């Protein structure tokens, strides 16, 4: 059976994010990059995440060894610029996941840059994080969604 891509595009993975994960093809828009990064994060593909992160902002290590979240789906809420002709873009999204049996969501506004024809994730601001119905606006002081036990600003957000 062929699985639909986890990014929520409604397209089969091999014809969606899988194209970017397994070939040299580059996502044509900031939103397409966001979707491919979400799917890579869900698959714990640190190599793809590093390759699509702005080199000046990328953390030295992306460690999934203590990751306990099971990423379920992505909902893109808004985009500003980020089209094929742009060199900057913003994508607002909610990423839904299961953590210790609870349904949770990460609500973030991410910034993207295009360099030499390729989109890169620059950084993001977390608007809310945690159990659905109990999310609180914690920003960089939120627990890091990677499950490290550190604050976001001292973990995955350290380079942001």
């Amino acid at each position: 059976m062929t699985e639909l891509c986890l990014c929520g595009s409604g397209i089969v993975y091999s014809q969606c994010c899988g194209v970017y994960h397994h070939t040299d093809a580059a996502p044509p828009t900031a939103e397409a990059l966001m979707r491919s990064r979400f799917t890579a994060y869900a698959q714990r593909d640190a190599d793809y995440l590093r390759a699509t992160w702005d080199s000046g902002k990328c953390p030295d290590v992306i460690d999934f060894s203590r990751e306990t979240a099971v990423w379920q789906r992505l909902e893109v809420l808004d985009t500003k610029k980020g089209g094929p002709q742009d060199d900057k873009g913003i994508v607002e999204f909610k990423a839904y996941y299961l953590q210790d049996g609870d349904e949770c969501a990460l609500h973030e506004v991410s910034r993207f840059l295009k360099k030499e024809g390729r989109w890169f994730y620059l950084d993001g601001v977390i608007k809310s994080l945690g159990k659905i119905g109990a999310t609180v606006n914690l920003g960089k002081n939120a627990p890091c969604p990677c499950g490290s036990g550190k604050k976001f600003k001292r973990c995955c957000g350290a380079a942001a």
Side-chain angles (χ1 to χ4, degrees):
M1 183 168 118
T2 322
E3 288 188 40
L4 292 180
C5 192
L6 193 58
C7 80
S9 66
I11 301 171
V12 174
Y13 170 76
S14 64
Q15 298 172 4
C16 189
C17 293
V19 171
Y20 309 126
H21 294 170
H22 302 294
T23 71
D24 289 333
T29 65
E31 180 180 339
L33 179 61
M34 175 64 239
R35 290 179 180 281
S36 70
R37 285 178 55 84
F38 168 80
T39 303
Y41 199 90
Q43 295 175 343
R44 292 164 171 72
D45 184 347
D47 291 338
Y48 184 80
L49 294 171
R50 288 189 58 72
T52 58
W53 209 316
D54 181 75
S55 60
K57 298 281 190 165
C58 186
D60 293 333
V61 176
I62 300 173
D63 182 10
F64 289 110
S65 65
R66 294 178 12 174
E67 170 78 37
T68 59
V70 178
W71 297 92
Q72 302 291 302
R73 64 185 173 91
L74 177 70
E75 178 183 357
V76 174
L77 303 173
D78 193 20
T79 59
K80 292 185 174 97
K81 298 200 177 205
Q85 305 306 316
D86 297 316
D87 57 6
K88 293 180 187 176
I90 295 174
V91 179
E92 181 176 0
F93 68 91
K94 282 189 180 180
Y96 296 89
Y97 60 99
L98 294 176
Q99 181 95 43
D100 301 323
D102 293 321
E103 291 182 318
C104 302
L106 164 67
H107 181 181
E108 182 176 313
V109 177
S110 297
R111 296 187 311 152
F112 297 85
L113 292 174
K114 187 163 53 170
K115 297 178 184 176
E116 297 177 14
R118 295 185 82 92
W119 284 102
F120 294 91
Y121 171 75
L122 182 60
D123 58 24
V125 174
I126 294 177
K127 297 184 71 117
S128 63
L129 173 73
K131 195 179 339 181
I132 294 176
T135 54
V136 179
N137 186 358
L138 298 172
K140 289 187 174 265
N141 286 319
C144 192
C146 78
S148 68
K150 297 178 185 178
K151 290 183 177 182
F152 176 75
K153 69 183 177 184
R154 301 217 189 291
C155 191
C156 294

